[in-house]
């Protein structure tokens, strides 16, 4: 939706902070994840070798004739990444850019440290629907590389995500959109979102998204989202899960209803205009 706004530049998920900092499984709280060992390197502020390599590839894909070398420090890599998105947004005549890697939820502290004016849009739907979609994607697209792991692991991850979301309800620079509210009242939710990002609410937006927001050949499960039209998809829960699994998930998952009651339609705080606005 935001990619249809003339003031917003976006691109496919970069995974930048996830790759630069690492430790994603540990941050999710996976039972088999080990704590990162790079204590000395982190104290020295050095970026991971893998993260620098991935950033080099990303940098080249976005600006083929850009810098060849990648900084050694984590802070310098983050600074260059943010400056790169600023530059790309400016070249497209946009005042705001959007970065939407879901796992960046685990790196909010670092993102806020490196980009203090960043704003975050938390998009949430019921956990049982999220898990049903993961299972469905695995069955239909053989997406085990993207959504590997058993159901118990993903249930714990959704609970971890809900914990992080709840901790940021009501904080400045954090805005909450619940999918059911967006489908029920798209105009009202759009107005709230634009006010939070200080985007013109009445701007003429594209009828469909024209920007490249994903790689459909690699992420076929995103086809339905490419138009940028809000809709409430039919639930896959009853097709994917039997009665016993639905009962188990109802016991294991953090209450979506409680999260919605806490974060739904919370007035957006007034914040200063900024170019860099990851979400």
């Amino acid at each position: 939706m935001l990619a249809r706004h003339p003031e917003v530049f976006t691109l496919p998920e970069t995974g930048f902070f996830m790759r630069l900092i690492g430790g994603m499984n540990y941050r999710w709280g996976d039972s088999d994840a080990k704590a990162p060992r790079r204590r000395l390197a982190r104290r020295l502020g050095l970026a991971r070798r893998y993260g620098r390599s991935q950033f080099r590839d990303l940098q080249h894909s976005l600006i083929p004739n850009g810098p060849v070398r990648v900084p050694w420090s984590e802070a310098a890599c983050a600074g260059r990444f943010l400056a790169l998105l600023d530059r790309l947004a400016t070249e497209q005549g946009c005042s705001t850019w959007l970065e939407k890697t879901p796992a960046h939820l685990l790196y909010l502290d670092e993102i806020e440290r490196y980009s203090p004016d960043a704003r975050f849009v938390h998009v949430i739907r019921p956990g049982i629907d999220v898990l049903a979609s993961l299972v469905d994607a695995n069955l239909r697209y053989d997406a085990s590389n993207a959504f590997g792991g058993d159901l118990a692991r993903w249930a714990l991850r959704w609970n971890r995500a809900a914990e992080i979301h709840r901790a940021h309800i009501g904080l400045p620079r954090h805005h909450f959109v619940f999918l059911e509210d967006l489908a029920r009242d798209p105009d009202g939710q759009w107005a709230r979102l634009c006010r939070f990002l200080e985007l013109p609410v009445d701007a003429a937006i594209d009828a469909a998204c024209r920007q490249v927001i994903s790689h459909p050949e690699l992420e076929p499960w995103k086809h339905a989202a490419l138009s940028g039209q809000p809709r409430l998809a039919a639930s896959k829960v009853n097709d994917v899960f039997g009665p016993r699994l639905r009962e188990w998930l109802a016991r294991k998952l953090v209450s979506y209803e409680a999260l919605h009651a806490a974060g739904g339609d919370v007035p957006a705080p007034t914040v200063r205009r900024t170019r860099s606005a990851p979400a």
Side-chain angles (χ1 to χ4, degrees):
M1 279 184 73
L2 281 171
R4 295 163 55 200
H5 197 291
E7 290 290 323
V8 178
F9 165 77
T10 193
L11 69 173
E13 297 167 12
T14 67
F16 173 78
F17 287 99
M18 174 182 73
R19 292 166 175 162
L20 181 72
I21 299 170
M24 183 182 71
N25 292 354
Y26 180 75
R27 293 186 181 215
W28 274 127
D30 293 351
S31 59
D32 57 349
K34 297 180 180 179
R37 294 182 176 181
R38 300 178 62 256
R39 296 183 181 89
L40 177 59
R42 291 303 301 272
R43 286 200 298 270
L44 295 174
L46 298 178
R48 299 168 69 224
R49 179 183 302 175
Y50 175 77
R52 294 180 66 247
S53 171
Q54 292 292 300
F55 182 37
R56 182 183 297 109
D57 294 342
L58 173 64
Q59 187 175 247
H60 179 71
S61 69
L62 296 175
I63 304 181
N65 298 319
V68 175
R69 296 184 179 275
V70 172
W72 286 98
S73 79
E74 182 180 292
C77 286
R80 182 179 291 184
F81 173 69
L82 298 170
L84 175 59
L85 294 188
D86 281 352
R87 170 182 167 179
L88 294 172
T90 300
E91 290 176 352
Q92 296 297 317
C94 297
S95 64
T96 302
W97 54 255
L98 168 73
E99 206 296 324
K100 54 189 182 297
T101 302
H104 280 174
L105 177 70
L106 302 169
Y107 301 88
L108 293 181
D109 289 345
E110 287 88 354
I111 297 173
E112 289 188 303
R113 181 166 73 247
Y114 294 129
S115 183
D117 292 331
R119 305 178 196 186
F120 302 87
V121 180
H122 300 245
V123 184
I124 306 173
R125 62 175 174 149
I128 194 168
D129 286 327
V130 174
L131 268 62
S133 291
L134 292 173
V135 172
D136 180 71
N138 258 335
L139 294 174
R140 293 173 61 193
Y141 304 113
D142 189 22
S144 57
N145 287 339
F147 307 123
D150 57 36
L151 195 61
R153 170 172 296 196
W154 281 105
L156 290 174
R157 286 186 170 191
W158 195 88
N159 287 349
R160 172 62 178 147
E163 175 188 350
I164 297 172
H165 289 310
R166 179 178 283 277
H168 291 84
I169 291 174
L171 294 183
R173 308 191 185 286
H174 291 265
H175 180 79
F176 285 75
V177 176
F178 290 84
L179 186 58
E180 63 185 275
D181 297 337
L182 183 62
R184 172 181 51 81
D185 179 25
D187 292 340
Q189 292 294 314
W190 175 251
R192 290 181 63 243
L193 180 58
C194 287
R195 284 195 295 269
F196 170 70
L197 296 175
E198 295 191 24
L199 295 170
V201 177
D202 55 355
I205 65 173
D206 292 336
C209 179
R210 298 179 183 178
Q211 299 193 67
V212 179
I213 63 172
S214 74
H215 301 294
E217 70 282 1
L218 301 176
E219 305 165 306
W221 52 87
K222 293 184 179 179
H223 273 293
L226 296 181
S227 68
Q229 301 286 350
R231 65 186 183 89
L232 192 61
S235 176
K236 301 180 178 73
V237 171
N238 290 335
D239 293 335
V240 174
F241 301 137
R244 290 185 64 185
L245 260 181
R246 293 199 299 271
E247 180 183 348
W248 181 83
L249 289 168
R251 294 197 313 268
K252 290 293 184 180
L253 294 177
V254 168
S255 170
Y256 165 80
E257 290 74 20
L259 187 61
H260 181 266
D265 292 329
V266 173
T270 300
V271 289
R272 183 174 63 81
R273 176 76 169 177
T274 177
R275 177 178 304 282
S276 301

